[in-house]
Amino acid sequence: MNMKIEERTELMRKIKDEVVALKKSPLYGYRRESGNLPVIGEGNHSAKIMFIGEAPGRNEAKYGRPFCGAAGKILDQLLESIGIDRKEVYVTNIVKDRPPQNRDPNPEEIKIYGPFLDRQIKIIQPKIIVTLGRYAMNYIMPKFGLEFEVEPISVNHGKVFTVPSQALVEWGWKDHEIKVIPLYHPAVAVYNSHTLDQLKKDFEVLKNI
Ligand code: URA
């Protein structure tokens, strides 16, 4: 299904409006009292590559932009290292509001915000989904018929998984090929040079496909 860019932008705007008004979310009250913003996502609405993290951190919730803090700097450097302009890709998270104290998102939050991410994937129809960290990997792989391939991120990082055609049919896509590439979360690389080296190598995989 080929959507015009205006249609994609309108559908994204609708998602934003719904998330802004998402009073049933356990993170809504915290967003309001701390003056935070929801972080919907950013980039090209018809991107070939979509990056999915877990939830906004402090900077992201302050500015309403994904990956604009320390982890974002690393993501920018990694993209630059393989000659991809961040404006060409789409970057988002599973959970659209910041959890307090940067704690990991919990299952209830993932359940509430996950459907917005699913809609974003349907709008963008990427060819490559790059998951950043284990939360995004654990969410995306089963959604794309790769549940039996889920392993710890230390095993799956940098591997290229082709989405089986049956899963594509379930997403309503014919004649569309999607690859899922799990990577370590760039936030880990802020303090761990081994993870940073590994991320650099894994980005080469991305470059090659
Ligand atoms: N970590 C994430 O998972 N997402 C962001 O947007 C920033 C940090």
Side-chain angles (χ1 to χ4, degrees), residues 39 53-57 60 65-68 71 93 185 187:
V39 179
E54 67 192 50
E60 288 75 19
R65 296 185 52 215
F67 286 92
C68 65
N93 290 298
H185 196 293

Side-chain angles (χ1 to χ4, degrees), residues 4-85:
K4 289 206 179 95
I5 195 73
E6 297 79 13
E7 198 180 338
R8 292 175 199 240
T9 302
E10 178 55 24
L11 290 170
M12 285 290 189
R13 201 189 51 75
K14 211 167 164 293
I15 290 173
K16 180 171 184 186
D17 291 347
E18 288 176 43
V19 172
V20 166
L22 197 64
K23 292 202 176 120
K24 69 172 184 186
S25 164
L27 297 174
Y28 179 85
Y30 174 62
R31 181 215 296 166
R32 298 297 302 244
E33 74 207 28
S34 51
N36 281 342
L37 296 170
V39 179
I40 309 302
E42 183 179 85
N44 182 346
H45 291 167
S46 45
K48 294 218 163 35
I49 312 177
M50 191 164 174
F51 287 86
I52 302 172
E54 67 192 50
R58 189 161 59 88
N59 278 293
E60 288 75 19
K62 182 170 174 195
Y63 297 109
R65 296 185 52 215
F67 286 92
C68 65
K73 277 210 184 87
I74 295 209
L75 179 63
D76 291 347
Q77 283 166 15
L78 290 164
L79 283 168
E80 204 183 317
S81 74
I82 60 165
I84 296 181
D85 188 338

Side-chain angles (χ1 to χ4, degrees), residues 6-184:
E6 297 79 13
E7 198 180 338
R8 292 175 199 240
T9 302
E10 178 55 24
L11 290 170
M12 285 290 189
R13 201 189 51 75
K14 211 167 164 293
I15 290 173
K16 180 171 184 186
D17 291 347
E18 288 176 43
V19 172
V20 166
L22 197 64
K23 292 202 176 120
K24 69 172 184 186
S25 164
L27 297 174
Y28 179 85
Y30 174 62
R31 181 215 296 166
R32 298 297 302 244
E33 74 207 28
S34 51
N36 281 342
L37 296 170
V39 179
I40 309 302
E42 183 179 85
N44 182 346
H45 291 167
S46 45
K48 294 218 163 35
I49 312 177
M50 191 164 174
F51 287 86
I52 302 172
E54 67 192 50
R58 189 161 59 88
N59 278 293
E60 288 75 19
K62 182 170 174 195
Y63 297 109
R65 296 185 52 215
F67 286 92
C68 65
K73 277 210 184 87
I74 295 209
L75 179 63
D76 291 347
Q77 283 166 15
L78 290 164
L79 283 168
E80 204 183 317
S81 74
I82 60 165
I84 296 181
D85 188 338
R86 179 154 163 173
K87 289 197 201 76
E88 286 174 42
V89 303
Y90 192 82
V91 183
T92 187
N93 290 298
I94 314 173
V95 170
K96 312 299 188 195
D97 277 301
R98 181 189 180 210
Q101 278 95 43
N102 280 358
R103 65 157 169 75
D104 291 337
N106 65 37
E108 186 195 355
E109 290 154 5
I110 291 175
K111 198 165 168 220
I112 286 181
Y113 290 94
F116 294 108
L117 173 62
D118 299 350
R119 282 162 61 187
Q120 289 177 305
I121 295 172
K122 281 198 171 158
I123 294 166
I124 294 173
Q125 302 175 38
K127 300 261 184 224
I128 300 172
I129 296 178
V130 179
T131 58
L132 301 171
R134 66 194 164 97
Y135 282 90
M137 175 184 76
N138 290 342
Y139 182 83
I140 288 295
M141 288 187 69
K143 286 247 159 205
F144 283 93
L146 297 165
E147 58 273 28
F148 298 117
E149 309 277 3
V150 175
E151 298 272 3
I153 190 80
S154 55
V155 174
N156 270 357
H157 73 89
K159 288 190 186 166
V160 180
F161 296 95
T162 300
V163 172
S165 47
Q166 182 54 36
L168 291 176
V169 172
E170 281 160 25
W171 277 77
W173 290 328
K174 268 193 252 147
D175 308 320
H176 189 78
E177 203 178 83
I178 302 194
K179 305 219 183 282
V180 174
I181 309 179
L183 298 184
Y184 281 117

